Amino acid sequence: MKGKFIVIEGIDGCGKTTQIDKISSWLPSSGLMEKNSKLVKTREPGGSLLGRKLRSLILDNNKNNKPSSLTELLLYSADRAEHVSKIISPALENNNWVLSDRFCDSTLAYQGYGRNINLEIIKNIESIVCQGKYPDLTIFLEISAKDSILRRKNLIPDRIESEGIKFLEKVNEGFKLIAKEKNWKVISATKNINEISNEIKETLLKNFHN
Ligand code: TMP
């Protein structure tokens, strides 16, 4: 049996990180994973060693370092190529499970629907960088752009988070379309933290219990 690849997606402020922390402390004792299998908790951008450096370049708030949309797409793609090669593929091939905060559909949503880069170009690059590794399950935490901004109002935004509500609305619409097309599990991020994590647990049990 190979390990499973689970991804959580959603716009900034949807609570992905909190849920990933909760699920990663539950999954290893859930009975779903084989005894000798480990859980690799990771994220994009920044899941690999080189990726951590790419993350700080990509999200740098200094206006002089703002990449063009194409450069931005390629930086996220470079981060993903390294992430798949060094972290995701080895983990899955060793029968370990991977839980990732974002993966390739974030690029479709942010760079495709958000920045208006041609979706076919993004999918072509994706087919190279993902190296045949796609999620077994994607969970979408849905929140409105307005609530996302309200939730983050006391935090210092990174470069992408500084784009404002119009951009975030386009990204969110993109995520909703992708969620429908790919039949993702959609959970309202306005529920309370425990309700959301219980719903995620039920989804994992339903999908992976054998
Ligand atoms: P994070 O805050 O969820 O770690 O993600 C960092 C930012 O990068 C977030 O605003 C979403 C953005 N992003 C993209 O624009 N494209 C991508 O492919 C990924 C993975 C993230």
Side-chain angles (χ1 to χ4, degrees):
M1 193 180 102
K2 263 180 67 228
K4 299 291 179 205
F5 181 15
I6 302 153
V7 173
I8 314 264
E9 295 280 10
I11 56 172
D12 313 84
C14 69
K16 287 179 289 96
T17 314
T18 307
Q19 291 303 330
I20 284 189
D21 287 345
K22 281 182 94 66
I23 295 306
S24 63
S25 55
W26 167 81
L27 245 182
S29 57
S30 65
L32 292 174
M33 296 169 57
E34 285 183 0
K35 280 214 167 52
N36 58 355
S37 147
K38 289 194 221 93
L39 177 67
V40 176
K41 182 178 107 173
T42 187
R43 69 169 174 178
E44 287 195 358
S48 64
L49 276 178
L50 179 61
R52 266 159 238 160
K53 296 193 174 176
L54 289 170
R55 182 182 172 94
S56 66
L57 281 178
I58 300 171
L59 298 179
D60 188 349
N61 253 327
N62 181 337
K63 291 211 166 52
N64 298 325
N65 291 337
K66 187 178 191 311
S68 72
S69 296
L70 177 61
T71 309
E72 184 181 275
L73 165 67
L74 294 172
L75 285 170
Y76 280 113
S77 303
D79 170 72
R80 182 160 308 122
E82 187 70 5
H83 192 207
V84 172
S85 301
K86 301 279 177 68
I87 308 289
I88 296 174
S89 292
L92 295 175
E93 275 148 28
N94 282 315
N95 198 23
N96 293 323
W97 286 41
V98 175
L99 178 59
S100 186
D101 187 334
R102 302 192 182 283
F103 192 57
C104 59
D105 292 303
S106 274
T107 305
L108 264 187
Y110 281 85
Q111 280 64 51
Y113 290 91
R115 298 265 191 243
N116 300 319
I117 298 182
N118 183 300
L119 298 181
E120 288 313 307
I121 293 177
I122 296 181
K123 287 178 187 168
N124 283 337
I125 297 175
E126 175 191 303
S127 71
I128 302 167
V129 300
C130 291
Q131 302 165 62
K133 298 293 184 286
Y134 289 99
D136 294 294
L137 173 71
T138 300
I139 294 169
F140 175 47
L141 298 185
E142 188 178 358
I143 187 180
S144 69
K146 205 167 137 211
D147 282 345
S148 143
I149 287 171
L150 279 174
R151 279 192 185 184
R152 290 182 295 115
K153 72 176 188 306
N154 296 322
L155 304 171
I156 299 170
D158 64 37
R159 190 177 57 78
I160 304 278
E161 288 165 349
S162 309
E163 290 287 341
I165 190 154
K166 285 264 145 28
F167 176 76
L168 217 49
E169 276 169 350
K170 288 205 293 180
V171 173
N172 218 12
E173 284 315 304
F175 266 133
K176 288 183 202 168
L177 288 172
I178 303 166
K180 213 177 242 170
E181 190 187 307
K182 299 195 174 176
N183 211 12
W184 285 354
K185 171 71 184 174
V186 180
I187 300 178
S188 166
T190 56
K191 295 184 179 172
N192 80 42
I193 291 176
N194 288 332
E195 267 182 290
I196 297 172
S197 69
N198 286 338
E199 212 172 314
I200 297 179
K201 288 175 192 173
E202 276 168 27
T203 305
L204 296 179
L205 288 167
K206 196 171 129 220
N207 277 266
F208 300 127
H209 205 6
N210 47 34

